Coordinates of all heavy atoms in Angstrom, one line a residue:
P199 N -115.7 150.1 -70.9 CA -116.1 150.5 -69.6 C -115.0 151.2 -68.8 O -113.8 150.7 -68.8 CB -116.5 149.2 -68.9 CG -116.4 148.1 -70.0 CD -115.7 148.7 -71.2
G200 N -115.3 152.4 -68.3 CA -114.3 153.1 -67.5 C -114.3 152.7 -66.0 O -115.0 151.8 -65.6
K201 N -113.4 153.4 -65.4 CA -113.3 153.2 -63.9 C -114.6 153.6 -63.2 O -115.1 154.7 -63.5 CB -112.1 154.0 -63.4 CG -111.9 153.9 -61.9 CD -110.7 154.8 -61.5 CE -110.7 155.0 -60.0 NZ -109.6 155.8 -59.6
P202 N -115.1 152.9 -62.2 CA -116.3 153.3 -61.6 C -116.0 154.5 -60.6 O -115.0 154.6 -60.0 CB -116.7 152.1 -60.8 CG -115.5 151.3 -60.6 CD -114.6 151.6 -61.8
Y203 N -117.0 155.4 -60.6 CA -117.0 156.5 -59.7 C -118.0 156.2 -58.6 O -119.2 156.1 -58.9 CB -117.3 157.8 -60.4 CG -116.3 158.2 -61.4 CD1 -116.4 157.9 -62.7 CD2 -115.1 158.9 -60.9 CE1 -115.4 158.3 -63.6 CE2 -114.1 159.3 -61.8 CZ -114.3 158.9 -63.2 OH -113.3 159.3 -64.1
L204 N -117.6 156.0 -57.4 CA -118.5 155.7 -56.3 C -119.1 157.0 -55.7 O -118.3 157.9 -55.3 CB -117.7 154.9 -55.2 CG -117.0 153.7 -55.7 CD1 -116.3 152.9 -54.6 CD2 -118.0 152.7 -56.4
L205 N -120.4 157.1 -55.7 CA -121.1 158.3 -55.3 C -121.7 158.2 -53.9 O -122.5 157.3 -53.7 CB -122.2 158.6 -56.3 CG -123.1 159.8 -56.0 CD1 -122.3 161.1 -56.1 CD2 -124.2 159.8 -57.1
G206 N -121.4 159.0 -53.0 CA -122.1 159.2 -51.8 C -122.8 160.5 -51.9 O -122.3 161.5 -52.3
H207 N -124.1 160.5 -51.5 CA -124.9 161.7 -51.7 C -125.9 161.9 -50.6 O -126.2 161.1 -49.8 CB -125.6 161.7 -53.1 CG -126.6 160.6 -53.2 ND1 -127.9 160.7 -53.1 CD2 -126.4 159.3 -53.5 CE1 -128.5 159.6 -53.3 NE2 -127.6 158.7 -53.5
T208 N -126.4 163.1 -50.5 CA -127.4 163.6 -49.5 C -128.8 163.5 -50.1 O -129.0 163.9 -51.3 CB -127.1 165.0 -49.1 OG1 -125.8 165.0 -48.5 CG2 -128.1 165.5 -48.1
F209 N -129.7 163.1 -49.2 CA -131.2 163.1 -49.6 C -131.9 163.8 -48.4 O -131.9 163.3 -47.3 CB -131.7 161.7 -49.9 CG -133.1 161.7 -50.4 CD1 -133.3 162.1 -51.7 CD2 -134.1 161.2 -49.7 CE1 -134.5 162.1 -52.3 CE2 -135.4 161.2 -50.3 CZ -135.6 161.6 -51.6
S210 N -132.4 165.0 -48.7 CA -133.0 165.8 -47.6 C -134.5 165.6 -47.4 O -135.2 166.6 -47.2 CB -132.7 167.3 -47.9 OG -131.3 167.5 -48.0
F211 N -134.9 164.4 -47.4 CA -136.3 164.1 -47.2 C -136.4 162.9 -46.2 O -135.4 162.1 -46.1 CB -137.0 163.8 -48.5 CG -137.0 164.9 -49.4 CD1 -136.0 165.1 -50.4 CD2 -138.0 165.9 -49.4 CE1 -136.0 166.1 -51.2 CE2 -138.0 167.0 -50.3 CZ -137.0 167.1 -51.2
P212 N -137.5 162.7 -45.5 CA -137.6 161.6 -44.6 C -137.5 160.3 -45.3 O -138.3 160.0 -46.2 CB -138.9 161.8 -43.9 CG -139.7 162.8 -44.6 CD -138.7 163.5 -45.5
F213 N -136.6 159.4 -44.8 CA -136.5 158.1 -45.4 C -136.2 157.0 -44.4 O -135.6 157.3 -43.3 CB -135.5 158.0 -46.5 CG -134.1 158.3 -46.2 CD1 -133.2 157.4 -45.7 CD2 -133.5 159.6 -46.3 CE1 -131.9 157.6 -45.4 CE2 -132.2 159.9 -46.0 CZ -131.4 158.9 -45.5
L214 N -136.5 155.8 -44.7 CA -136.1 154.6 -43.8 C -134.9 154.0 -44.5 O -134.8 153.9 -45.7 CB -137.2 153.6 -43.8 CG -138.5 154.0 -43.1 CD1 -139.6 152.9 -43.3 CD2 -138.3 154.2 -41.6
S215 N -134.0 153.6 -43.7 CA -132.7 153.0 -44.2 C -132.4 151.8 -43.4 O -132.4 151.8 -42.1 CB -131.6 154.0 -44.1 OG -130.4 153.5 -44.7
H216 N -132.0 150.7 -44.1 CA -131.5 149.5 -43.4 C -130.1 149.2 -43.7 O -129.5 148.3 -43.3 CB -132.4 148.3 -43.8 CG -133.8 148.4 -43.4 ND1 -134.8 148.8 -44.2 CD2 -134.4 148.2 -42.2 CE1 -135.9 148.8 -43.6 NE2 -135.7 148.5 -42.3
S217 N -129.5 150.1 -44.6 CA -128.1 150.0 -44.9 C -127.6 151.3 -45.5 O -128.5 152.2 -45.7 CB -127.9 148.9 -46.0 OG -128.5 149.2 -47.2
A218 N -126.3 151.5 -45.7 CA -125.8 152.8 -46.1 C -126.2 153.1 -47.5 O -126.1 154.3 -47.9 CB -124.3 152.7 -46.0
N219 N -126.6 152.1 -48.3 CA -127.0 152.5 -49.7 C -128.5 152.3 -50.0 O -128.9 152.1 -51.1 CB -126.1 151.6 -50.6 CG -126.5 150.1 -50.5 OD1 -127.1 149.7 -49.6 ND2 -126.0 149.4 -51.5
E220 N -129.3 152.4 -48.9 CA -130.7 152.2 -49.1 C -131.5 153.4 -48.5 O -131.1 153.8 -47.3 CB -131.2 150.9 -48.5 CG -132.7 150.7 -48.6 CD -133.2 149.5 -47.8 OE1 -133.0 149.5 -46.6 OE2 -133.7 148.6 -48.4
A221 N -132.4 154.0 -49.2 CA -133.2 155.1 -48.6 C -134.6 155.0 -49.2 O -134.9 155.4 -50.3 CB -132.6 156.4 -48.9
I222 N -135.5 154.4 -48.4 CA -136.9 154.3 -48.8 C -137.6 155.6 -48.4 O -137.8 155.9 -47.2 CB -137.6 153.1 -48.1 CG1 -136.8 151.8 -48.3 CG2 -139.0 152.9 -48.6 CD1 -136.6 151.3 -49.7
L223 N -138.1 156.3 -49.4 CA -138.7 157.6 -49.1 C -140.0 157.4 -48.4 O -140.9 156.6 -48.9 CB -139.0 158.3 -50.5 CG -139.8 159.6 -50.3 CD1 -139.0 160.7 -49.5 CD2 -140.1 160.2 -51.7
I224 N -140.2 158.0 -47.3 CA -141.4 157.9 -46.5 C -142.5 158.8 -47.1 O -143.6 158.3 -47.4 CB -141.2 158.3 -45.0 CG1 -140.2 157.3 -44.4 CG2 -142.5 158.3 -44.2 CD1 -139.7 157.7 -43.0
V225 N -142.2 160.1 -47.2 CA -143.2 161.0 -47.7 C -142.4 162.3 -48.3 O -141.4 162.6 -47.7 CB -144.2 161.5 -46.7 CG1 -143.5 162.2 -45.5 CG2 -145.3 162.3 -47.3
W226 N -142.9 162.8 -49.4 CA -142.3 164.0 -49.9 C -142.7 165.2 -48.9 O -143.8 165.2 -48.4 CB -142.8 164.4 -51.3 CG -142.2 163.6 -52.4 CD1 -142.8 162.8 -53.2 CD2 -140.8 163.6 -52.8 NE1 -142.0 162.2 -54.1 CE2 -140.7 162.7 -53.9 CE3 -139.7 164.2 -52.3 CZ2 -139.5 162.5 -54.5 CZ3 -138.5 163.9 -52.9 CH2 -138.4 163.1 -54.0
T227 N -141.8 166.1 -48.8 CA -142.1 167.3 -48.0 C -141.6 168.5 -48.8 O -141.1 168.3 -50.0 CB -141.3 167.3 -46.7 OG1 -139.9 167.2 -46.9 CG2 -141.8 166.2 -45.8
K228 N -141.7 169.7 -48.3 CA -141.2 170.9 -49.0 C -141.8 171.2 -50.3 O -141.1 171.6 -51.3 CB -139.6 170.8 -49.1 CG -138.9 170.5 -47.8 CD -137.4 170.3 -48.1 CE -136.8 169.7 -46.8 NZ -135.5 169.2 -47.1
E229 N -143.1 170.8 -50.5 CA -143.8 171.0 -51.7 C -143.3 170.2 -52.9 O -143.7 170.5 -54.0 CB -143.9 172.5 -52.1 CG -144.5 173.4 -51.0 CD -144.5 174.8 -51.3 OE1 -144.1 175.3 -52.4 OE2 -144.9 175.6 -50.4
I230 N -142.6 169.2 -52.7 CA -142.1 168.3 -53.7 C -143.2 167.2 -53.9 O -143.6 166.6 -52.8 CB -140.7 167.7 -53.4 CG1 -139.7 168.8 -53.2 CG2 -140.3 166.7 -54.5 CD1 -139.3 169.6 -54.4
K231 N -143.6 166.8 -55.1 CA -144.6 165.8 -55.2 C -144.3 164.9 -56.5 O -145.2 164.6 -57.2 CB -146.0 166.5 -55.4 CG -146.4 167.3 -54.2 CD -146.7 166.4 -53.0 CE -147.1 167.3 -51.8 NZ -146.9 166.7 -50.5
T232 N -143.1 164.5 -56.6 CA -142.8 163.6 -57.8 C -143.5 162.3 -57.6 O -143.4 161.7 -56.5 CB -141.3 163.4 -57.9 OG1 -140.6 164.7 -58.0 CG2 -140.9 162.5 -59.1
S233 N -144.2 161.9 -58.5 CA -145.1 160.7 -58.4 C -144.2 159.4 -58.5 O -143.1 159.4 -59.0 CB -146.1 160.6 -59.5 OG -145.6 160.5 -60.7
Q234 N -144.8 158.3 -57.9 CA -144.2 157.0 -57.9 C -142.8 156.9 -57.3 O -142.0 156.1 -57.7 CB -144.1 156.5 -59.4 CG -145.5 156.4 -60.0 CD -145.5 155.9 -61.4 OE1 -144.4 155.4 -61.9 NE2 -146.6 156.0 -62.1
V235 N -142.5 157.7 -56.3 CA -141.3 157.6 -55.5 C -141.5 157.2 -54.1 O -140.7 156.5 -53.6 CB -140.5 159.0 -55.6 CG1 -139.2 158.9 -54.9 CG2 -140.2 159.3 -57.1
E236 N -142.5 157.7 -53.5 CA -142.8 157.4 -52.1 C -142.9 155.9 -51.9 O -143.5 155.2 -52.7 CB -144.1 158.1 -51.6 CG -143.9 159.6 -51.4 CD -145.2 160.2 -50.9 OE1 -146.2 159.6 -50.8 OE2 -145.1 161.4 -50.6
G237 N -142.2 155.4 -50.9 CA -142.2 153.9 -50.6 C -141.2 153.2 -51.5 O -141.1 151.9 -51.4
R238 N -140.4 153.9 -52.2 CA -139.3 153.2 -53.1 C -138.0 153.7 -52.7 O -137.8 154.7 -52.0 CB -139.6 153.6 -54.5 CG -140.9 153.0 -55.0 CD -141.2 153.3 -56.4 NE -140.3 152.6 -57.3 CZ -140.2 152.8 -58.6 NH1 -140.9 153.8 -59.2 NH2 -139.3 152.2 -59.3
D239 N -137.0 152.9 -53.0 CA -135.6 153.2 -52.7 C -135.0 154.2 -53.7 O -134.8 154.0 -54.9 CB -134.8 151.9 -52.8 CG -133.3 152.1 -52.4 OD1 -132.8 153.2 -52.2 OD2 -132.6 151.0 -52.3
V240 N -134.8 155.5 -53.2 CA -134.4 156.5 -54.0 C -132.9 156.3 -54.6 O -132.6 156.8 -55.6 CB -134.5 157.9 -53.3 CG1 -135.9 158.3 -53.1 CG2 -133.7 158.0 -52.1
N241 N -132.1 155.6 -53.8 CA -130.8 155.3 -54.3 C -130.8 154.4 -55.5 O -130.1 154.6 -56.5 CB -129.9 154.7 -53.2 CG -128.5 155.0 -53.3 OD1 -128.1 156.2 -53.6 ND2 -127.6 154.1 -53.0
R242 N -131.7 153.4 -55.5 CA -131.9 152.5 -56.6 C -132.5 153.3 -57.8 O -132.1 153.1 -59.0 CB -132.8 151.3 -56.3 CG -133.0 150.3 -57.4 CD -133.7 149.1 -56.9 NE -132.8 148.4 -56.1 CZ -133.2 147.4 -55.3 NH1 -134.5 147.0 -55.3 NH2 -132.4 146.7 -54.6
L243 N -133.4 154.2 -57.6 CA -134.0 155.0 -58.6 C -132.9 155.9 -59.3 O -132.9 156.0 -60.5 CB -135.1 155.9 -58.1 CG -136.4 155.1 -57.6 CD1 -137.4 156.1 -56.9 CD2 -137.1 154.4 -58.8
L244 N -132.0 156.5 -58.4 CA -130.9 157.3 -59.0 C -130.0 156.4 -59.8 O -129.6 156.9 -60.9 CB -130.2 157.9 -57.8 CG -128.9 158.7 -58.2 CD1 -129.3 159.9 -59.2 CD2 -128.2 159.3 -57.0
A245 N -129.7 155.2 -59.4 CA -128.8 154.3 -60.2 C -129.4 154.1 -61.5 O -128.8 154.1 -62.6 CB -128.5 153.1 -59.4
G246 N -130.7 153.8 -61.5 CA -131.4 153.6 -62.8 C -131.4 154.8 -63.7 O -131.2 154.6 -64.9
A247 N -131.6 155.9 -63.2 CA -131.6 157.2 -63.9 C -130.2 157.4 -64.5 O -130.1 157.8 -65.7 CB -132.0 158.4 -63.1
L248 N -129.2 157.2 -63.7 CA -127.8 157.4 -64.2 C -127.5 156.4 -65.4 O -126.9 156.8 -66.4 CB -126.8 157.2 -63.1 CG -126.8 158.3 -62.0 CD1 -126.0 157.8 -60.8 CD2 -126.2 159.6 -62.6
N249 N -127.9 155.2 -65.2 CA -127.7 154.2 -66.3 C -128.5 154.6 -67.6 O -127.9 154.5 -68.7 CB -128.2 152.8 -65.9 CG -127.1 152.1 -65.0 OD1 -125.9 152.3 -65.2 ND2 -127.6 151.4 -64.0
R250 N -129.7 155.1 -67.4 CA -130.5 155.5 -68.6 C -129.8 156.7 -69.3 O -129.9 156.8 -70.5 CB -131.9 155.9 -68.2 CG -132.8 154.7 -67.9 CD -134.3 155.0 -67.8 NE -134.5 156.0 -66.7 CZ -134.6 155.7 -65.4 NH1 -134.5 154.4 -65.0 NH2 -134.9 156.6 -64.6
R251 N -129.1 157.5 -68.6 CA -128.3 158.6 -69.2 C -127.0 158.2 -69.7 O -126.2 159.0 -70.2 CB -128.1 159.7 -68.1 CG -129.4 160.4 -67.7 CD -129.8 161.4 -68.7 NE -131.0 162.1 -68.3 CZ -131.3 163.3 -68.7 NH1 -130.5 163.9 -69.5 NH2 -132.4 163.8 -68.3
G252 N -126.6 156.9 -69.6 CA -125.4 156.4 -70.1 C -124.2 156.7 -69.1 O -123.1 156.5 -69.5
L253 N -124.5 157.0 -67.9 CA -123.5 157.2 -66.9 C -123.3 156.0 -66.1 O -123.4 156.0 -64.9 CB -123.9 158.4 -66.0 CG -124.1 159.7 -66.8 CD1 -124.7 160.8 -65.9 CD2 -122.7 160.2 -67.3
H254 N -122.9 154.9 -66.8 CA -122.8 153.6 -66.1 C -121.7 153.5 -65.1 O -121.7 152.7 -64.2 CB -122.6 152.5 -67.2 CG -123.6 152.6 -68.3 ND1 -124.9 152.2 -68.1 CD2 -123.5 152.9 -69.6 CE1 -125.6 152.4 -69.2 NE2 -124.7 152.8 -70.1
E255 N -120.7 154.4 -65.3 CA -119.5 154.4 -64.3 C -119.8 155.0 -63.0 O -119.1 154.8 -62.0 CB -118.3 155.0 -65.0 CG -118.4 156.5 -65.3 CD -119.2 156.8 -66.5 OE1 -119.6 155.9 -67.2 OE2 -119.3 158.1 -66.8
V256 N -120.9 155.8 -62.9 CA -121.3 156.5 -61.6 C -122.2 155.5 -60.9 O -123.2 155.1 -61.3 CB -122.0 157.8 -61.9 CG1 -122.4 158.4 -60.5 CG2 -121.1 158.7 -62.7
R257 N -121.7 155.1 -59.7 CA -122.5 154.1 -58.9 C -122.8 154.7 -57.5 O -121.9 154.9 -56.7 CB -121.7 152.9 -58.7 CG -121.4 152.2 -60.1 CD -120.9 150.8 -59.9 NE -120.5 150.4 -61.2 CZ -119.4 149.7 -61.5 NH1 -118.6 149.4 -60.6 NH2 -119.2 149.3 -62.8
P258 N -124.1 155.0 -57.2 CA -124.5 155.5 -55.9 C -124.3 154.4 -54.9 O -124.9 153.3 -55.0 CB -125.9 155.8 -56.0 CG -126.3 155.7 -57.5 CD -125.2 154.9 -58.1
V259 N -123.4 154.6 -53.9 CA -123.1 153.5 -52.9 C -123.4 153.9 -51.5 O -123.4 153.1 -50.6 CB -121.6 153.1 -53.0 CG1 -121.3 152.5 -54.4 CG2 -120.7 154.3 -52.8
A260 N -123.7 155.2 -51.3 CA -124.0 155.6 -49.9 C -124.9 156.8 -50.0 O -124.8 157.7 -50.8 CB -122.7 156.0 -49.1
I261 N -125.9 156.8 -49.0 CA -126.9 157.9 -49.0 C -127.1 158.3 -47.5 O -127.1 157.4 -46.6 CB -128.2 157.5 -49.7 CG1 -129.1 158.7 -49.8 CG2 -128.8 156.3 -49.0 CD1 -130.3 158.5 -50.7
A262 N -127.1 159.6 -47.2 CA -127.3 160.1 -45.9 C -128.3 161.3 -45.9 O -128.4 161.9 -46.9 CB -126.0 160.5 -45.3
N263 N -128.9 161.5 -44.7 CA -129.7 162.7 -44.6 C -128.8 164.0 -44.5 O -127.6 163.9 -44.3 CB -130.7 162.6 -43.5 CG -130.2 162.7 -42.1 OD1 -129.1 163.2 -41.9 ND2 -130.9 162.3 -41.2
D264 N -129.4 165.1 -44.6 CA -128.6 166.4 -44.7 C -127.9 166.7 -43.4 O -126.7 167.1 -43.4 CB -129.5 167.5 -45.1 CG -130.8 167.7 -44.3 OD1 -131.0 166.9 -43.4 OD2 -131.6 168.5 -44.8
A265 N -128.4 166.3 -42.2 CA -127.7 166.6 -41.0 C -126.5 165.7 -40.8 O -125.4 166.2 -40.4 CB -128.6 166.4 -39.8
V266 N -126.6 164.5 -41.2 CA -125.5 163.5 -41.2 C -124.4 164.0 -42.2 O -123.2 164.0 -41.9 CB -125.9 162.1 -41.5 CG1 -124.7 161.2 -41.7 CG2 -126.8 161.6 -40.3
S267 N -124.8 164.4 -43.4 CA -123.9 164.9 -44.4 C -123.1 166.1 -43.9 O -121.9 166.3 -44.1 CB -124.6 165.1 -45.7 OG -125.1 163.9 -46.2
T268 N -123.8 167.0 -43.2 CA -123.2 168.2 -42.7 C -122.2 167.8 -41.6 O -121.0 168.4 -41.6 CB -124.3 169.1 -42.1 OG1 -125.2 169.5 -43.1 CG2 -123.6 170.4 -41.5
L269 N -122.5 166.9 -40.8 CA -121.5 166.4 -39.8 C -120.3 165.8 -40.4 O -119.2 166.1 -40.0 CB -122.2 165.5 -38.8 CG -121.3 164.8 -37.8 CD1 -120.6 165.9 -36.9 CD2 -122.0 163.8 -36.9
L270 N -120.5 165.0 -41.4 CA -119.4 164.3 -42.1 C -118.5 165.3 -42.8 O -117.3 165.2 -42.7 CB -119.9 163.3 -43.1 CG -120.5 162.1 -42.6 CD1 -121.2 161.3 -43.7 CD2 -119.5 161.2 -41.8
A271 N -119.1 166.4 -43.4 CA -118.3 167.4 -44.0 C -117.5 168.2 -43.0 O -116.3 168.5 -43.2 CB -119.2 168.3 -44.8
A272 N -118.1 168.5 -41.9 CA -117.4 169.2 -40.8 C -116.3 168.4 -40.2 O -115.2 168.9 -40.0 CB -118.4 169.7 -39.7
A273 N -116.6 167.1 -40.0 CA -115.6 166.2 -39.4 C -114.4 166.0 -40.3 O -113.3 165.7 -39.9 CB -116.2 164.9 -39.0
Y274 N -114.6 166.1 -41.6 CA -113.5 166.0 -42.6 C -112.4 167.1 -42.3 O -111.2 166.8 -42.4 CB -114.0 166.1 -44.0 CG -113.0 165.9 -45.0 CD1 -112.5 164.6 -45.4 CD2 -112.4 167.0 -45.7 CE1 -111.5 164.4 -46.3 CE2 -111.5 166.8 -46.7 CZ -111.0 165.5 -47.0 OH -110.0 165.4 -48.0
A275 N -112.9 168.3 -42.0 CA -112.0 169.4 -41.8 C -111.6 169.5 -40.3 O -110.5 170.0 -40.0 CB -112.7 170.7 -42.2
D276 N -112.5 169.1 -39.4 CA -112.2 169.2 -38.0 C -112.6 167.9 -37.3 O -113.8 167.7 -37.1 CB -112.9 170.4 -37.4 CG -112.7 170.5 -35.9 OD1 -112.0 169.7 -35.3 OD2 -113.3 171.5 -35.3
P277 N -111.6 167.0 -36.9 CA -112.0 165.8 -36.2 C -112.7 165.9 -34.9 O -113.2 164.9 -34.4 CB -110.6 165.1 -36.1 CG -109.6 166.1 -36.1 CD -110.2 167.2 -37.0
H278 N -112.8 167.1 -34.4 CA -113.5 167.3 -33.1 C -114.9 167.8 -33.3 O -115.6 168.1 -32.4 CB -112.7 168.4 -32.3 CG -111.3 167.9 -31.9 ND1 -111.1 166.9 -31.1 CD2 -110.1 168.3 -32.4 CE1 -109.8 166.7 -31.0 NE2 -109.2 167.5 -31.8
A279 N -115.4 167.8 -34.6 CA -116.8 168.2 -34.8 C -117.7 167.2 -34.3 O -117.5 166.0 -34.4 CB -117.0 168.4 -36.4
D280 N -118.7 167.6 -33.6 CA -119.7 166.7 -32.9 C -121.1 166.8 -33.4 O -121.9 165.9 -33.1 CB -119.6 166.9 -31.4 CG -118.3 166.6 -30.8 OD1 -117.7 165.6 -31.2 OD2 -117.9 167.4 -29.9
I281 N -121.5 167.8 -34.0 CA -122.9 168.0 -34.4 C -123.0 168.5 -35.8 O -122.2 169.4 -36.3 CB -123.5 169.1 -33.4 CG1 -123.5 168.6 -32.0 CG2 -124.9 169.4 -33.9 CD1 -124.0 169.6 -31.0
G282 N -123.9 168.0 -36.5 CA -124.3 168.5 -37.8 C -125.7 169.1 -37.7 O -126.6 168.4 -37.1
S283 N -126.0 170.2 -38.2 CA -127.2 170.9 -38.1 C -127.7 171.6 -39.4 O -126.9 172.1 -40.1 CB -127.1 172.0 -36.9 OG -128.3 172.7 -36.8
I284 N -129.0 171.5 -39.6 CA -129.6 172.1 -40.8 C -130.6 173.1 -40.3 O -131.5 172.7 -39.6 CB -130.2 171.1 -41.7 CG1 -129.2 170.1 -42.2 CG2 -130.9 171.8 -42.9 CD1 -128.1 170.7 -43.1
C285 N -130.5 174.4 -40.6 CA -131.5 175.4 -40.3 C -132.1 175.9 -41.6 O -131.4 176.6 -42.3 CB -130.8 176.5 -39.5 SG -130.0 176.0 -38.0
A286 N -133.3 175.4 -41.9 CA -133.9 175.8 -43.1 C -135.4 175.8 -43.0 O -135.9 176.3 -41.9 CB -133.5 174.7 -44.2
T287 N -136.2 175.3 -43.9 CA -137.6 175.3 -43.9 C -138.1 174.7 -42.6 O -139.1 174.7 -42.2 CB -138.2 174.6 -45.1 OG1 -137.8 173.3 -45.1 CG2 -137.8 175.3 -46.4

C-alpha cells in the first residue's frame, strides 16, 4: 500500500451536503442522465469506482460545487478574492 492521495474535487450539479465529503445528487442537469445516481452520495460512488480500478491510494475527501471551487482557486492566488462565478449553460 502506497501513500494516500487526498482528493478534493468539483461536482457541477445540484447536490445536498451535510459535510465537506458528502454530496447527494438532487437531479441531473445539462442533459446528463446517468442512472442510479440521483439521491446518492457521488463522493462515495467515486471512491467505489476508484477502488474498483485499483486506485486504492486515491481518497476523495472533499467535494464542492463549481462556484466554490472557482473562489478557492482564485483565493489561492489572491487572498483578497471575494467571489467565485461560473458563466456557462
Side-chain angles (χ1 to χ4, degrees):
K201 176 182 171 183
Y203 294 97
L204 306 181
L205 174 66
H207 62 102
T208 298
F209 190 69
S210 299
F211 299 92
F213 63 85
L214 295 173
S215 181
H216 296 101
S217 66
N219 66 346
E220 177 189 61
I222 308 299
L223 176 63
I224 297 170
V225 63
W226 283 120
T227 59
K228 307 172 195 171
E229 301 178 5
I230 303 292
K231 299 292 178 201
T232 303
S233 64
Q234 301 179 11
V235 179
E236 289 179 352
R238 297 180 65 192
D239 183 352
V240 295
N241 213 38
R242 184 173 289 171
L243 293 172
L244 176 59
L248 290 167
N249 280 326
R250 285 190 302 279
R251 293 282 184 152
L253 299 170
H254 308 291
E255 66 280 359
V256 180
R257 298 192 186 139
V259 296
I261 187 166
N263 72 18
D264 47 8
V266 170
S267 296
T268 301
L269 175 58
L270 289 172
Y274 183 78
D276 178 359
H278 301 290
D280 294 324
I281 296 172
S283 177
I284 300 296
C285 301
T287 59

